[in-house]
């Protein structure tokens, strides 16, 4: 077994590169110095590898990390699978996704709480900082025990920021400490030996003279202090150390100079690597603490190592739905029974029934038998022919399912809760889940007998489902009740692990079109879907072999046609290279090409803060302005990226990004101008394969459509809220030009009371403040998570933006008292 420490040392000795100082370890990107991202990722990888090793050892198996390899998510995932500590079908994609989520919620602290002394342990705010850390750790444990992994990861990222900043902003390292400060994660221990509020701690210094600016008696008596920091005022208590750096006004006042170790050029930059190393070790300790409280399997689930595929079903249970319920049962049972105990077994199951006027509850379980029992107990009754609470049910599933899940909605009626459409779109964008609608009979049957206005209504009903499906990268499949069971093949296709999207386009055709896509050697089980009313198509392989839609079993694959769905399963020997499909259709259609591969990618918009840092931008970027994408290519250490494009979702306009590499698998991509149209992100590149002489081209696409907006909405969330106590959340609207009137909506996935202003006017300044009050029911269990979305919609243009926030409901832990400052 290779030593895990060696890798940390390898990273620590990276090239020395310099950039301006800011107020913390750089959140995402800082060549040479260690960032919150690297510190967090390394700690997660080390602890995860250790957990896998311990599980393997306990079961008498060997655990081997690849020798002479950096500690990457793929390497750790492979080693864990090879030792059977985690599911062998788990792709490293989810592991990357989770690590990214954790470090982005770490980085966002610099943006949301830039000036909070507690979040950065500035201004000797040790007690407040520790309160954030210990309350965070308690919330993470409670969330994990409730299965609320999404919230747990957000809280974990946030608390790690404060924990890591302690080592950069305090004099812990200067005191000669040889281990992390364990008291920071133990609320019951007293915070001893803090320098008192009137105890001087530093002398004035400039430049390299600042290496030893901490007063000798502070060092001698091992008093803990941290630097004062302010961008507004130079005021600080007499004799106190400053943080230092050009943003810090306090460092201009006596005693001048600073003590931070944020990067190698900081006043105490000579201790940066030591502080960063200590921060890694401290993060490892917190992870161990969480692991001990939750158990090894839950820990692996927390870091995303045991998620394979998710089977998620949202189903109408009104009177006419018995055939569909039977169909959903059949396909679920078949997936469960045929995959049980195999690597292809889904790792989680989601079920949400809806009716009229009821919907829910959400069942979320890792136990296939519980899921079977719940779906078995569904029966069709009530509701009649009326439209149903479809979007409400779907929202519960979107909020409850792990990110990037495939969700299937069964219904035979129009949705009655149309006002939720924009909220569904916001949740689709923020969760990146894919929604496919299985629409049966009634929608179709009504068509024949319907009057013109009813037909118009019907078309708009179906169009709603189509819009939502396409925005998510899914499909709106219309079939008869009798043929539904054939169409459920798409559910079987989707509930496999390591599924990637090669291409997805939506078209309202005027002329026939040829669409091409590249298949690479890492792909298997490639499936092409053409969904639309009677399209005529022919598929061409790279060598020119063709097969038309009328040939069910041909040289290229087998074609299933049912309802408006055409599914082409390519033969397993399908060639790699550029394929083409020529399509002629009088109606709109969607084309989707998926397959299984370890090579995939993740994208997140990030924002550049003053000083060069990047923090995540969780909602729609401004139309017409530049933007930056953080791209991680997963599962391929031998992948090179040549192109990152924004492609018009229902057209062919393209915006090219400029790629800047951040190391082996991560990239920053600058987009000059966010377009007005909805777009998908496409990635192209080359794939090395030792068994081949030359690299192969590959392409991937993000299934989720994204869009820009002329308005931004920002909120500064608390990670936890208390049951029964109204929680006030302020938010800010900013428009790209002058103001306008915005309709405000707020929604939660729990039946908690929410109040908010119905509209806001951004006036001539182009900005406005608002406030949402959320009250968790007083009987809510600790660890329950709640999703809150706030939307702002321009009343005239229907342009909108949103924030999607997650909170953990927690009763107040009695940590405050223990956390009181204790002074000599
Ligand atoms: C573990 O590794 C040792 C040495 O490489 C080998 O002899 C042994 O068979 C391995 N055990 C298992 C269970 O693979
Ligand atoms: C990996 O091995 C190569 C030689 O095989 C060596 O040059 C290189 O320094 C090693 N890298 C690390 C990180 O140990
Ligand atoms: C961090 O932990 C590793 C392994 O436990 C140890 O070798 C290293 O010295 C520690 N670093 C610091 C700065 O304490
Ligand atoms: C599509 O490709 C086919 C076969 O190569 C060709 O015959 C046809 O003209 C092309 N159609 C269009 C619209 O480019
Ligand atoms: C490399 O090529 C072989 C043969 O084509 C294929 O089986 C394997 O999956 C490829 N591996 C990768 C990582 O692309
Ligand atoms: C995927 O393809 C592999 C061979 O390439 C095959 O063994 C496996 O059964 C296929 N899986 C599915 C779900 O079709
Ligand atoms: C993005 O636009 C801002 C002004 O809106 C400008 O200051 C900045 O330099 C631009 N960034 C890039 C990478 O073009
Ligand atoms: C792929 O292989 C080529 C040589 O065949 C090499 O030049 C290139 O650096 C490799 N790329 C990656 C990403 O491994
Ligand atoms: C502002 O946003 C709107 C979309 O709401 C967009 O059409 C317009 O181009 C943007 N204006 C500027 C100046 O960026
Ligand atoms: C978050 O909660 C703490 C109490 O736990 C409170 O002091 C603080 O003001 C809250 N922050 C916001 C932004 O609501
Ligand atoms: C929210 O806004 C109100 C009024 O605008 C203000 O009094 C209050 O302090 C703000 N709360 C937080 C937590 O910022």
């Amino acid at each position: 077994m290779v030593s895990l420490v060696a890798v940390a040392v390898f990273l620590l000795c990276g090239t020395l590169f310099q950039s301006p100082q800011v107020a913390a370890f750089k959140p995402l990107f800082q060549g040479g110095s260690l960032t919150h991202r690297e510190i967090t990722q390394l700690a997660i990888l080390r602890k995860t590898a250790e957990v896998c090793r311990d599980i393997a050892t306990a079961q008498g198996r060997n655990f081997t990390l690849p020798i002479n390899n950096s500690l990457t998510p793929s390497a750790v995932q492979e080693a864990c699978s090879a030792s059977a500590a985690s599911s062998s079908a788990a792709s490293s994609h989810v592991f990357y996704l989770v690590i990214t989520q954790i470090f982005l919620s770490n980085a966002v602290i610099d943006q949301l709480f830039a000036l909070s002394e507690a979040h950065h342990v500035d201004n000797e705010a040790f007690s407040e900082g520790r309160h954030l850390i210990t309350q965070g750790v308690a919330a993470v444990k409670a969330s994990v025990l409730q299965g609320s992994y999404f919230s747990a990861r957000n809280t974990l990222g946030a608390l790690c920021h404060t924990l890591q900043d302690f080592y950069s902003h305090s004099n812990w390292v200067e005191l000669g400490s040889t281990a992390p400060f364990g008291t920071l994660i133990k609320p019951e221990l007293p915070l001893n030996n803090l320098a008192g509020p009137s105890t001087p701690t530093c002398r004035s210094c400039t430049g390299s003279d600042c290496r030893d600016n901490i007063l000798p008696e502070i060092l001698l008596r091992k008093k803990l202090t941290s630097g004062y920091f302010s961008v507004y005022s130079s005021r600080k208590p007499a004799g106190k150390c400053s943080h230092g750096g050009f943003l810090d006004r306090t460092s201009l006042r006596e005693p001048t100079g600073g003590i931070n170790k944020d990067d190698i050029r900081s006043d105490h930059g000579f201790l940066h690597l030591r502080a960063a190393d200590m921060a890694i070790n401290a993060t490892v300790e917190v992870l161990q603490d969480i692991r001990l409280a939750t158990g090894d399997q839950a820990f692996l689930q927390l870091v995303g190592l045991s998620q394979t595929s998710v089977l998620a079903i949202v189903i109408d249970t009104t009177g006419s739905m018995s055939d569909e319920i039977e169909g959903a049962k059949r396909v679920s049972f078949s997936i469960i029974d045929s995959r049980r105990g195999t690597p292809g077994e889904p790792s989680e199951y989601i079920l949400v029934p809806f009716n009229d006027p009821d919907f829910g509850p959400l069942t979320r379980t890792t136990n296939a038998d519980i899921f079977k029992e719940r779906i078995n107990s569904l029966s069709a009754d009530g509701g009649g022919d009326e439209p149903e609470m479809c979007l409400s049910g779907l929202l519960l599933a979107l909020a409850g399912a792990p990110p990037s899940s495939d969700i299937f909605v069964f219904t035979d009626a129009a949705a009655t809760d149309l006002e939720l459409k924009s909220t569904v779109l916001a949740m689709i964008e923020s969760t990146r889940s894919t929604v496919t609608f299985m629409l049966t009979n009634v929608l179709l049957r009504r068509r024949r007998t319907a009057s013109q206005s009813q037909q118009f209504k019907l078309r708009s009903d179906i169009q709603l489902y189509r819009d939502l499906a396409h925005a998510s990268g899914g499909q709106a499949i219309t079939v008869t009740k009798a043929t539904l069971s054939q169409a459920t093949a798409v559910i079987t296709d989707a509930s496999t692990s390591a599924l990637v999207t090669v291409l997805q386009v939506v078209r309202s055709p005027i002329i026939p079109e040829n669409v091409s896509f590249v298949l690479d050697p890492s792909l298997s089980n490639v499936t092409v879907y053409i969904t639309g009313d009677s399209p005529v198509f022919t598929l061409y392989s790279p060598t020119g072999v063709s097969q038309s839609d009328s040939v069910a079993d041909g040289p290229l694959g087998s074609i299933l046609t049912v309802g408006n769905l055409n599914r082409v399963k390519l033969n397993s020997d399908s060639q790699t290279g550029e394929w083409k499909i020529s399509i002629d259709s009088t109606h709109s259609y969607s084309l989707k090409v998926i397959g299984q591969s370890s090579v995939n990618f993740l994208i997140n918009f990030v924002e550049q803060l003053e000083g060069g840092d990047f923090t995540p931008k969780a909602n729609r970027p401004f139309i017409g302005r530049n933007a930056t994408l953080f791209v991680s290519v997963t599962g391929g250490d031998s992948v090179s990226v040549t192109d990152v494009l924004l492609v018009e979702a229902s057209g062919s306009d393209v915006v090219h990004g400029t790629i800047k590499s951040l190391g082996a698998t991560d990239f920053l991509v600058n987009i000059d101008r966010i377009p007005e149209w909805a777009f998908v992100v496409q990635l192209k590149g080359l794939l090395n394969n030792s068994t081949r002489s030359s690299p192969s081209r590959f392409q991937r696409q993000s299934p989720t459509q994204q869009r820009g907006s002329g308005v931004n909405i920002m909120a500064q969330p608390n990670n936890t809220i208390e049951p029964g106590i109204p929680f006030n959340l302020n938010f800010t609207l900013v428009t790209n030009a002058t103001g306008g009137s915005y309709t405000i909506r707020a929604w939660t996935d729990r039946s908690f009371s929410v109040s908010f202003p119905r509209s806001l006017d951004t006036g001539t300044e182009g900005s406005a403040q608002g406030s949402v009050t959320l009250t968790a029911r007083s009987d809510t269990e600790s660890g329950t998570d709640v999703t809150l979305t706030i939307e702002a919609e321009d009343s005239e243009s229907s342009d909108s933006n949103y924030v999607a926030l997650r909170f953990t409901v927690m009763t107040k832990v009695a940590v405050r008292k223990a956390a009181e400052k204790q002074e000599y």
Side-chain angles (χ1 to χ4, degrees):
M1 202 195 82
V2 117
S3 157
L4 301 178
V5 182
V7 184
V9 173
F10 173 65
L11 259 179
L12 283 165
C13 302
T15 42
L16 304 185
F17 176 80
Q18 299 158 1
S19 99
Q21 303 171 356
V22 290
F25 284 133
K26 300 298 173 290
L28 284 177
F29 167 58
Q30 172 64 35
S33 297
L34 261 80
T35 64
H36 281 292
R37 171 171 68 101
E38 287 156 322
I39 290 168
T40 307
Q41 167 157 327
L42 209 47
I44 293 172
L45 292 177
R46 276 166 60 178
K47 186 45 72 181
T48 304
E50 191 188 306
V51 172
C52 288
R53 185 198 60 199
D54 292 351
I55 293 174
T57 308
Q59 299 175 349
R61 276 191 293 267
N62 288 340
F63 175 83
T64 332
L65 276 174
I67 297 184
N68 190 3
N69 197 344
S70 51
L71 201 57
T72 64
S74 330
V76 171
Q77 190 274 328
E78 272 166 38
C80 288
S81 301
S83 70
S86 71
S87 165
S88 61
S91 103
S92 63
H93 187 72
V94 180
F95 194 27
Y96 271 98
L97 187 81
V98 168
I99 292 174
T100 306
Q101 188 198 335
I102 294 172
F103 73 65
L104 289 180
S105 26
N106 179 328
V108 82
I109 297 298
D110 271 342
Q111 182 188 36
L112 295 179
F113 301 99
L115 304 177
S116 153
E117 55 181 31
H119 286 84
H120 308 285
V121 206
D122 294 324
N123 306 1
E124 303 185 314
F126 295 111
S127 163
E128 297 82 353
R130 181 173 73 165
H131 179 67
L132 288 173
I133 294 168
T134 53
Q135 211 188 28
V137 172
V140 171
K141 291 174 184 171
S143 296
V144 168
L145 295 175
Q146 288 276 322
S148 303
Y149 293 104
F150 193 94
S151 299
R153 291 163 191 155
N154 277 348
T155 311
L156 177 61
L159 79 88
C160 282
H161 190 101
T162 305
L163 181 72
Q164 292 161 2
D165 271 1
F166 169 82
Y167 296 95
S168 175
H169 298 175
S170 77
N171 63 339
W172 182 253
V173 170
E174 287 83 345
L175 291 177
S177 313
T178 54
F181 187 34
T183 306
L184 280 185
I185 61 171
K186 299 197 181 80
E188 70 282 4
L189 294 184
L191 271 171
N192 283 332
N193 236 21
L194 306 182
S198 52
T199 309
T201 53
C202 269
R203 64 167 177 83
S204 279
C205 66
T206 50
S208 61
D209 176 41
C210 286
R211 288 174 73 109
D212 57 357
N213 55 344
I214 298 179
L215 296 177
E217 56 268 35
I218 293 295
L219 297 177
L220 200 67
R221 297 180 56 198
K222 297 218 179 293
K223 292 281 186 194
L224 199 54
T225 184
S226 73
Y228 278 72
F229 176 83
S230 175
V231 293
Y232 298 124
S233 149
S234 62
R235 252 177 307 159
K236 65 178 172 185
K240 288 295 185 185
C241 300
S242 283
H243 177 277
F246 79 93
L247 286 174
D248 176 24
R249 304 265 309 265
T250 74
S251 63
L252 303 174
R253 166 174 296 201
E254 289 281 311
T256 59
I259 64 165
N260 86 80
K261 295 153 282 293
D262 287 350
D263 69 49
I264 51 183
R265 278 191 85 193
S266 306
D267 286 318
H268 283 194
F270 69 106
L271 291 171
H272 166 75
L273 293 182
R274 192 162 165 73
D277 193 25
M278 197 83 88
I280 294 171
N281 287 3
T283 309
V284 168
E285 271 188 5
V286 143
L287 293 172
Q288 173 67 8
D289 185 58
I290 292 166
R291 169 200 182 184
L292 286 179
T294 59
D296 287 356
Q297 287 310 327
F299 180 86
L300 292 185
Q301 191 132 0
L302 171 66
V303 297
L305 212 62
S306 44
Q307 181 180 326
T308 53
S309 66
V310 178
L311 178 57
I313 290 180
V314 177
I315 190 161
D316 186 343
T317 57
T318 47
S320 52
M321 285 294 292
S322 45
D323 291 340
E324 291 84 346
I325 293 174
E326 278 314 307
K329 268 182 211 170
R330 215 169 18 241
V331 65
S332 313
F333 279 43
S334 137
I335 290 170
I336 291 168
D337 295 339
S338 66
R339 307 228 183 113
R340 200 186 282 265
T342 73
E345 186 175 7
S347 55
E348 205 160 351
Y349 303 88
I350 307 281
L351 179 67
V352 180
F354 67 89
N355 204 299
D356 188 26
D358 299 322
F359 59 93
L362 166 94
T363 298
R364 177 181 179 171
T365 178
T366 52
N367 183 333
D369 293 322
I370 292 180
F371 179 78
K372 274 182 146 181
E373 199 182 291
R374 294 286 161 84
I375 200 166
N376 227 354
S377 70
L378 294 180
S379 62
D381 55 44
D385 233 10
E386 294 304 304
E388 272 94 52
M389 303 294 279
C390 180
L391 302 190
S392 304
L394 173 55
L395 275 173
L396 281 193
L398 282 165
S404 300
S405 293
D406 276 280
I407 298 172
F408 291 89
V409 183
F410 290 76
T411 186
D412 65 355
T416 181
D417 43 4
L418 296 176
E419 70 282 1
L420 291 174
K421 179 180 179 185
S422 64
T423 310
V424 172
L425 285 171
M427 284 301 291
I428 284 171
E429 281 176 40
S430 88
T431 62
R432 317 275 168 90
S433 284
T434 299
V435 183
T436 291
F437 291 90
M438 312 293 288
L439 305 170
T440 38
N441 277 24
V442 171
L443 283 170
L444 301 174
R445 206 190 296 127
R446 278 189 194 154
R447 180 185 292 177
R448 290 191 207 104
T449 57
S451 70
Q452 212 160 13
S453 71
Q454 280 170 319
Q455 281 199 20
F456 180 77
K457 167 84 171 57
L458 175 69
R459 269 200 295 275
S460 76
D461 289 344
I462 297 183
Q463 193 58 41
L464 166 75
Y465 292 139
R466 235 182 242 143
D467 289 348
L468 296 177
H470 293 163
S472 73
Q475 304 159 82
I477 297 170
T478 51
V479 284
T480 62
K481 287 181 188 281
T483 53
L484 173 70
S485 63
Q486 294 173 57
T488 57
V490 297
I491 302 179
T492 313
D493 294 346
S495 61
T496 52
S497 60
L499 208 58
V500 301
T501 303
V502 176
L503 180 76
Q504 160 119 15
V505 300
V506 177
R507 289 287 187 269
S508 301
I510 311 162
I511 48 162
E513 191 180 3
N514 286 341
V515 181
S516 56
F517 54 91
V518 170
L519 296 186
D520 62 81
S522 77
L523 283 163
S524 61
N525 301 324
V526 178
T527 309
V528 179
Y529 303 100
I530 300 116
T531 312
D533 286 336
S534 51
V536 176
F537 63 89
T538 306
L539 193 61
Y540 298 87
S541 78
T543 51
V545 178
S546 67
Q547 181 176 342
S548 81
D549 57 81
S550 56
V551 181
D553 277 296
L556 299 179
S558 55
I559 304 181
L560 165 78
T561 305
V562 49
N564 70 344
L565 172 72
N566 298 274
R567 166 183 177 262
V568 189
K569 213 158 172 35
L570 295 192
N571 294 333
S572 56
D573 60 350
S574 54
Q575 299 147 4
T576 62
E578 185 161 325
W579 286 65
K580 190 170 67 176
I581 182 160
S582 89
I583 307 186
D584 191 355
S585 173
T586 50
H587 295 92
S588 65
Y589 64 88
S590 76
L591 165 68
K592 173 169 168 153
V593 183
I594 59 167
Q596 282 175 285
S597 166
S598 61
V599 180
N600 203 352
F601 76 120
L602 291 171
I603 46 162
N604 286 282
F605 276 107
V606 291
E607 261 175 318
Q608 192 154 21
L609 296 182
E610 232 176 292
D613 298 353
F614 291 91
T615 66
K617 168 140 186 52
N619 52 13
R620 297 173 184 152
F622 268 126
I623 289 174
R625 297 208 190 147
N626 61 27
T628 305
L629 274 173
F630 180 78
V631 176
S632 291
V633 178
T634 66
D637 294 334
S638 56
V639 167
S640 52
V641 174
T642 54
D643 271 304
V644 177
L645 322 163
L646 309 191
V647 181
E648 188 178 13
S650 47
S652 46
D653 272 2
V654 168
V655 173
H656 286 262
T658 314
I659 303 171
K660 188 159 92 184
S661 174
L662 296 181
T665 56
D666 298 335
F667 305 86
L668 279 182
V669 178
N670 282 321
I671 310 292
D672 276 345
R673 194 177 177 282
I674 292 293
E676 296 77 24
W677 26 266
F679 57 87
V680 291
V681 179
Q682 212 173 66
L683 179 102
K684 294 181 178 172
L686 295 171
L687 201 60
N688 275 357
N689 187 325
S690 49
T691 65
R692 290 173 175 255
S693 48
S694 60
S696 340
R697 287 162 65 204
F698 79 99
Q699 74 175 64
R700 296 289 182 270
Q701 185 178 303
S702 66
T704 319
Q705 290 182 7
Q706 287 176 291
R707 68 199 70 227
S709 173
V711 61
N712 196 4
I713 177 166
M714 288 161 296
Q716 192 181 61
N718 256 9
N719 285 313
T720 58
I721 62 176
E722 285 181 68
I725 298 179
F727 173 72
N728 213 28
L729 181 78
N730 289 353
F731 65 90
T732 308
L733 286 191
V734 181
T735 62
N736 67 352
T738 50
S741 175
Y742 287 84
T743 305
I744 306 297
R745 280 185 290 266
W747 169 86
T748 76
D749 64 332
R750 312 268 170 196
S751 42
F752 294 166
S753 117
V754 206
S755 65
F756 54 92
R758 299 292 142 170
S759 79
L760 281 177
D761 211 312
T762 54
T764 48
E765 280 160 31
S767 76
Q769 308 279 331
S771 166
V772 170
T773 305
L774 173 68
T775 314
R777 276 195 321 270
S778 50
D779 60 351
T780 312
E781 254 182 273
S782 275
T784 301
D785 69 355
V786 53
T787 300
L788 169 71
T789 62
I790 309 172
E791 295 168 66
E793 185 179 83
D794 181 330
S795 318
E796 277 163 30
S797 66
S798 82
D799 171 37
S800 68
N801 210 337
Y802 66 91
V803 272
L805 305 166
R806 305 257 186 163
F807 302 91
T808 304
V809 182
M810 287 283 289
T811 50
K812 207 167 203 87
V813 234
V815 287
R816 272 222 181 257
K817 202 154 189 176
E820 296 300 356
K821 278 187 198 179
Q822 304 215 352
E823 291 164 20
Y824 285 17

